[in-house]
């Protein structure tokens, strides 16, 4: 059984003490493919070092996370553009809009999001979208940029059924993680109405650990718990969930 974690921050400081063991645990649990999103330039070298250690398993994205779109965002975007021109990446991400932490940067978040979508089209890469309290704003930008060349993953999808259909209409897969196991997560109530071909698995480690680890540090091996929950929802063997969602990830990333 091969599982794919389409979104995991393996370079996070929270893994400083046991990173190698944590990755080994995930590989032992069948997680053979890890897709690692960028945050800002301060993490770039850590990402490259990780990929060098696990070239068969780790695939990198490049991008500027919306929470890190600050006064120096143009400088950060220049870094993204330079790295994209130098080497191959699996996706542009994580990019998007986050209005939970700071609404005052909305205008520049939109600029950064749109610019990075345009680079994704240029390099024929998928995008990995971060959306927090910003569905309308995200859809507004996607509408401006919609085309056959626009595709990717709506990371950590936690919206409504209608928002799920809208995301899919822009060629996005839904990244499903620990939230699907939460009592108040809500997405478990309608997910069975979404064809499994639109779903990929993720952890967002070290954040959003699934039940029974909710509130603790998340890690990539827990993507198996997300697969087990989807096995219940779709009434399919967990091996079939792993197979289909891994195929879907191959379709998005081309890897």
């Amino acid at each position: 059984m091969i599982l794919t974690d389409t979104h995991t921050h393996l370079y996070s400081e929270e893994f400083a003490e046991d990173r190698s063991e944590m990755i080994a645990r995930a590989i032992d649990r069948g997680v053979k493919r890890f897709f690692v999103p960028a945050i800002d330039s301060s993490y770039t070298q850590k990402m490259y070092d990780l990929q060098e250690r696990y070239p068969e398993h780790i695939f990198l994205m490049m991008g500027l996370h919306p929470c890190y779109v600050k006064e120096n965002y143009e400088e950060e975007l220049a870094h993204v553009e330079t790295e994209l021109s130098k080497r191959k990446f699996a996706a542009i991400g994580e990019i998007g809009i986050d209005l939970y932490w700071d609404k005052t940067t909305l205008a520049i978040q939109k600029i950064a999001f749109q610019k990075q979508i345009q680079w994704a089209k240029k390099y024929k890469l998928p995008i990995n979208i971060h959306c927090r309290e910003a569905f309308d704003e995200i859809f507004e930008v996607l509408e401006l940029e919609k085309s056959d060349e626009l595709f990717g993953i709506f990371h950590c999808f936690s919206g409504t059924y209608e928002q799920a259909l809208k995301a899919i209409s822009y060629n996005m897969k839904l990244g499903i993680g620990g939230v699907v196991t939460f009592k108040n997560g809500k997405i478990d109530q309608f997910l069975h109405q979404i064809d499994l071909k639109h779903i990929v698995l993720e952890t967002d480690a070290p954040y959003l650990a699934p039940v029974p680890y909710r509130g603790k540090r998340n890690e990539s091996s827990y993507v198996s718990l997300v697969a087990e929950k989807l096995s219940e929802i779709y009434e399919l063997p967990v091996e079939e969930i792993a197979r289909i969602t891994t195929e879907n990830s191959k379709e998005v990333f081309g890897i």
Side-chain angles (χ1 to χ4, degrees), residues 188-207:
D188 59 319
Q189 293 164 25
F190 65 77
L191 214 51
H192 65 284
Q193 297 174 64
I194 304 283
D195 194 307
L196 205 46
K197 71 181 181 187
H198 301 303
I199 305 290
V200 291
L201 305 184
E202 62 165 71
T203 57
D204 199 18
Y207 317 108

Side-chain angles (χ1 to χ4, degrees), residues 63-91:
L64 177 61
H65 189 299
C67 291
Y68 292 76
V69 175
K70 309 284 187 196
E71 301 75 28
N72 70 335
Y73 80 98
E74 288 172 325
E75 195 181 304
E76 283 290 337
L77 286 177
H79 171 77
V80 171
E81 192 173 20
T82 300
E83 298 309 300
L84 286 171
S85 70
K86 286 196 322 207
R87 56 185 286 164
K88 196 163 168 39
F89 291 93

Side-chain angles (χ1 to χ4, degrees), residues 230-246:
L230 291 196
S231 165
E232 282 172 35
I233 290 171
Y234 286 97
E235 298 179 345
L236 286 171
V238 72
E239 294 78 8
E240 190 63 0
I241 297 290
R243 184 188 70 76
I244 294 171
T245 54
T246 285

Side-chain angles (χ1 to χ4, degrees), residues 15-27 50 53-54:
F15 300 124
E17 303 297 312
D18 64 342
R19 185 172 287 106
S20 302
E21 295 86 339
M22 182 271 293
I23 292 171
R25 269 196 298 278
I27 292 170
L50 261 175
R53 281 189 64 194
Y54 302 92

